Amino acid sequence: MDAHGGCPHAANARLLAEGSAAEVVLPDEVPGMAVLGHEALKEFLAHPEVSKSPGHFAALREGRIPEGWSLMNFAVLPGMLTSDGDEHRRLRSLVSKAFTARRVEGLRPGIEALTARLLDRLDAAAEAGGGIADLRAHFALPLPLSVICELFGVDEAAHDRLHELSDLAVSTTVTPEQAIATTRDMAATLAGIVAVRRESPGDDLASALIAAREDGEGLSEAELIGTLMLFVVAGHETTLNLITNAVRALCAHREQLELIRSGGASWADAVEETLRWDSPVSYFPFRYPIRDLTIDGTVIPRGTPVLAGYSAAGRDPAAHGPDADRFDVRRASPGRHLSLGHGAHYCLGAPLARMEATIALERLFTRFPDLDLAVPEAELPRHASFVGNSVQVLPVRPGPGA
């Protein structure tokens, strides 16, 4: 795996032509595998003999993973990310009590108001920048970051620090020293938030998680910090990439944008097709077979760390047809992609991500109907990670507001 990331689609196509699963080399020469094909990945994600527990990671159990490994948090972070069975159900049930559909829907008016303010800031940034502004920095980032921090009851002063730490947490190019420091600093920052919320509970997710109980048992301190870390990273990094990728796709396919404006498709369709066509997560770590498994003719040995190849599965011709690499909002359907997961670990925040992205796209292109990229797509610097899939900046010309 290229630790420096880059656009994954050409490499994905080459690998898919050879099979639905492939051997890969992870950072620090750790051997692993990736499942790439749509049907193979769907089977693997829901397989009863595939675990998320680090106890099944053979190389980690045997002491062959170096300290400060750039992917260590994905393997050992306490909470839902690394649990199975009854333990995962317990944790998910506790979190679900705090992250209800009613709480998510209650965020809609605030998201709409925040979106309007951020569009004003984007307009001002473009005016100050000679007609050009970085949409990722001024719009796609602060929207989901502000929402997730509001859910936690985090002061705005801490937003930038949490984003900085989140970026480092998903990077596959950090040094061992950076990886260790990132984990330490993120845990300390979140522990500070928990301490404040224990002292002064509010109507926020952190307070609700602290108060959540099931049969008298709540989240342990490690589980609580791990859960908040998962929400911070997954709750804004993926939505940030989703909004960025959707804007890039619509700017590059103006006929699709006009189709939506004419009523032939919806903004929600644009979100679903972006999730399929340019998944915000490319390869997500980790799952481990608890015995040797054969997936679509390929043997995945017991204890192997396996990446879920969401960006590859989204363009698998076997599932999406010979034009799988074509962006077309008319084929959008939540059931046509796996980019938000599948099975017991399906993304708990999926409804929030969809809501944020749909509101963002509709309000953005309504306010700035002529918005377009300010530089050619090929010149946009890519994420320095094979986990996240997007670009680092998105210079746009908003044009006159409607």
Side-chain angles (χ1 to χ4, degrees):
M1 303 300 297
D2 183 357
H4 292 87
C7 182
H9 299 300
N12 288 345
R14 289 195 298 270
L15 290 171
L16 275 170
E18 299 176 6
S20 294
E23 294 183 12
V24 298
V25 179
L26 301 168
D28 293 315
E29 302 300 310
V30 175
M33 294 194 73
V35 179
L36 311 152
H38 176 94
E39 289 301 324
L41 182 57
K42 188 174 183 179
E43 176 187 353
F44 186 76
L45 293 176
H47 201 291
E49 293 178 296
V50 171
S51 174
K52 294 279 285 180
S53 170
H56 293 286
F57 185 176
L60 180 65
R61 188 178 62 244
E62 295 164 6
R64 293 188 280 117
I65 302 298
E67 186 180 7
W69 192 42
S70 60
L71 297 173
M72 188 65 83
N73 272 333
F74 291 103
V76 302
L77 185 70
M80 293 186 296
L81 185 65
T82 56
S83 61
D84 299 308
D86 290 342
E87 182 66 6
H88 177 256
R89 283 187 287 272
R90 178 184 73 84
L91 294 169
R92 192 173 176 102
S93 175
L94 286 166
V95 173
S96 295
K97 289 178 180 180
F99 201 74
T100 62
R102 181 178 179 182
R103 181 185 290 273
V104 171
E105 185 58 33
L107 295 171
R108 182 181 294 275
I111 293 173
E112 291 173 343
L114 174 61
T115 300
R117 294 195 300 273
L118 292 175
L119 291 175
D120 288 340
R121 294 184 196 176
L122 180 67
D123 195 18
E127 185 174 346
I132 297 175
D134 181 2
L135 184 138
R136 187 173 173 90
H138 293 289
F139 183 69
L141 166 62
L143 177 58
L145 182 59
S146 296
V147 171
I148 204 70
C149 286
E150 180 185 340
L151 270 173
F152 290 153
V154 178
D155 291 338
E156 189 169 349
H159 289 196
D160 288 346
R161 180 57 175 159
L162 284 175
H163 173 62
E164 178 187 2
L165 291 169
S166 294
D167 257 2
L168 290 168
V170 300
S171 173
T172 48
T173 60
V174 293
T175 65
E177 293 76 18
Q178 286 176 311
I180 292 169
T182 297
T183 300
R184 181 193 64 229
D185 293 350
M186 179 74 92
T189 300
L190 294 173
I193 293 168
V194 169
V196 170
R197 286 293 159 246
R198 278 208 170 98
E199 188 70 26
S200 304
D203 184 24
D204 57 81
L205 182 60
S207 298
L209 288 174
I210 292 168
R213 291 290 182 271
E214 181 174 86
D215 298 327
E217 183 180 5
L219 294 167
S220 70
E221 189 71 10
E223 290 169 345
L224 180 59
I225 298 301
T227 298
L228 292 178
M229 191 179 298
L230 175 61
F231 269 101
V232 168
V233 176
H236 92 274
E237 289 281 348
T238 52
T239 307
L240 161 61
N241 290 350
L242 172 57
I243 294 171
T244 302
N245 293 357
V247 172
R248 288 169 48 229
L250 290 168
C251 287
H253 301 82
R254 307 300 293 194
E255 79 287 354
Q256 299 293 307
L257 185 55
E258 292 308 314
L259 182 66
I260 295 170
R261 285 173 169 156
S262 66
S266 69
W267 296 107
D269 291 334
V271 170
E272 294 306 321
E273 180 65 348
T274 301
L275 284 165
R276 179 200 72 82
W277 185 75
D278 206 12
S279 170
V281 174
S282 192
Y283 288 92
F284 194 79
F286 285 119
R287 285 173 168 80
Y288 322 95
I290 62 176
R291 65 169 177 82
D292 291 357
L293 286 183
T294 301
I295 299 292
D296 195 28
T298 298
V299 176
I300 304 179
R302 172 186 176 186
T304 301
V306 181
L307 302 172
Y310 293 122
S311 63
R315 296 198 187 188
D316 181 1
H320 304 293
D323 66 343
D325 62 351
R326 183 170 62 89
F327 182 77
D328 185 353
V329 296
R330 288 169 295 189
R331 69 166 131 210
S333 168
R336 287 184 61 87
H337 65 77
L338 301 170
S339 292
L340 294 169
H342 176 67
H345 287 271
Y346 182 78
C347 177
L348 193 61
L352 178 58
R354 285 185 165 112
M355 179 196 295
E356 289 179 72
T358 301
I359 291 171
L361 294 179
E362 178 180 10
R363 301 300 173 89
L364 175 67
F365 285 104
T366 299
R367 173 76 176 272
F368 302 111
D370 298 324
L371 182 139
D372 208 350
L373 301 187
V375 299
E377 168 80 22
E379 295 181 10
L380 296 172
R382 302 287 308 194
H383 255 325
S385 170
F386 59 74
V387 178
N389 173 42
S390 194
V391 294
Q392 296 179 30
V393 296
L394 191 64
V396 299
R397 290 187 176 90

